[in-house]
Amino acid sequence: MVSLRAVRLVAWAMFRETVRDRVPLSIAAFCAVLLGVSYLISQMTAGQDLKIIKDLGLSSLSVFGLLIAVFLGINLVAKEVERRSIYPVIAKPVTREEFLLGKYTGLALALVANLAAMTAAFFAVLLFVDVATPAFAKSGWPAPATDPWLLAAIGLIVAELLVVTAIALFFSTFSSPMLSALLTLGLWVAGHFNADLRRFEAVVDVPALAWIARGMYYVLPNLAPFDIKAEVVHGVPVAWSHVGLTLAYAVTYITLALLAAVAVFRRRDFK
């Protein structure tokens, strides 16, 4: 039986340690600066300024959030083993499941906090553009500067990064940080082209390969549905059912990844 109190204590310790780490804060600050630079760049492209700001802003949140998730996720277990701080932890009345779930929860909270800071900077730039743009120019915008659908796009970005974090945590339970980073980034890239595996049988007329590709389609994360940046930037409506189903998929995949990580971590020998 997992103790929620133990998970909460480990999560809080992980959150404080992550917040004190300069790496995610530096990335968040760099992302905020990049958002401001995107506004300056957009001024050189007449009529496309808002689209450029939105596109660069959402892309910055995705890329720099990915760096935070991967960099911290791959070190969740490796750092504890390297510092030998894991030995007194697992010797206490804290199970390995509680330790791992607490680590993931703390990192997830820190990731959300960093993305919230980036989002605030993003909307500050958008609000400035909205105030500085004449009313007649706004009539050509496909969507308002502070379009509420931006929050839906950012929400799916957060959900995608939480999936990536769970994957990074899984790899960190049995591999080195470098290998974990490569595997996680590889799955992130593959996840955005996962739909091609489902149509692989239409390209290659080999039943065995088609079945393998279909199996990989269901095992690998399908991250393409999380990306609705293009639709939001160009004011194309997105169904709420798509957002809801994608979030449900994220919860399911995170749960399975954490269960796999716990199963591996239980059997790991730290002697």
Side-chain angles (χ1 to χ4, degrees):
M1 186 67 179
V2 176
S3 170
L4 294 180
R5 181 177 181 275
V7 172
R8 186 170 63 250
L9 291 175
V10 175
W12 177 242
M14 179 63 191
F15 176 77
R16 288 187 301 173
E17 179 183 353
T18 306
V19 169
R20 288 196 301 263
D21 197 327
R22 294 181 180 180
V23 174
L25 295 178
S26 299
I27 295 176
F30 184 71
C31 183
V33 172
L34 184 61
L35 292 175
V37 172
S38 69
Y39 172 74
L40 299 178
I41 295 176
S42 68
Q43 298 305 299
M44 297 183 291
T45 310
Q48 301 294 324
D49 52 346
L50 185 63
K51 291 181 181 179
I52 292 177
I53 293 173
K54 287 184 177 181
D55 190 38
L56 286 177
L58 292 174
S59 298
S60 299
L61 286 169
S62 179
V63 172
F64 290 107
L66 174 67
L67 293 178
I68 294 174
V70 172
F71 181 84
L72 294 178
I74 62 175
N75 287 295
L76 279 180
V77 177
K79 185 185 292 186
E80 299 291 342
V81 175
E82 181 181 352
R83 296 185 305 190
R84 298 184 178 274
S85 59
I86 193 172
Y87 300 104
V89 172
I90 60 178
K92 294 178 181 179
V94 177
T95 65
R96 296 193 178 195
E97 294 87 347
E98 294 164 351
F99 173 79
L100 210 59
L101 294 177
K103 285 287 186 178
Y104 175 79
T105 303
L107 178 55
L109 291 174
L111 180 63
V112 171
N114 277 277
L115 288 173
M118 297 181 193
T119 300
F122 182 31
F123 272 83
V125 173
L126 292 174
L127 184 60
F128 176 78
V129 173
D130 187 52
V131 173
T133 303
F136 71 87
K138 295 180 183 179
S139 60
W141 288 351
T146 54
D147 184 10
W149 273 105
L150 287 169
L151 295 176
I154 294 172
L156 290 183
I157 289 175
V158 173
E160 177 187 349
L161 294 176
L162 292 178
V163 172
V164 173
T165 303
I167 294 172
L169 174 62
F170 168 71
F171 287 131
S172 73
T173 58
F174 63 86
S175 61
S176 65
M178 180 61 70
L179 181 58
S180 297
L182 293 175
L183 291 173
T184 303
L185 291 174
L187 281 187
W188 179 79
V189 173
H192 284 277
F193 298 96
N194 198 14
D196 295 337
L197 294 174
R198 193 174 187 179
R199 300 187 293 267
F200 196 71
E201 57 189 7
V203 180
V204 178
D205 190 19
V206 180
L209 291 179
W211 277 103
I212 293 174
R214 179 62 65 91
M216 292 178 63
Y217 169 77
Y218 289 108
V219 173
L220 297 179
N222 185 14
L223 302 179
F226 293 89
D227 187 3
I228 60 171
K229 292 190 290 292
E231 290 84 349
V232 172
V233 168
H234 293 89
V236 179
V238 179
W240 278 111
S241 58
H242 172 84
V243 177
L245 289 174
T246 304
L247 291 176
Y249 172 81
V251 172
T252 302
Y253 203 95
I254 289 171
T255 302
L256 294 175
L258 291 179
L259 288 175
V262 167
V264 173
F265 196 60
R266 279 176 179 171
R267 292 166 175 76
R268 182 166 177 179
D269 187 6
F270 292 102
K271 294 181 181 180

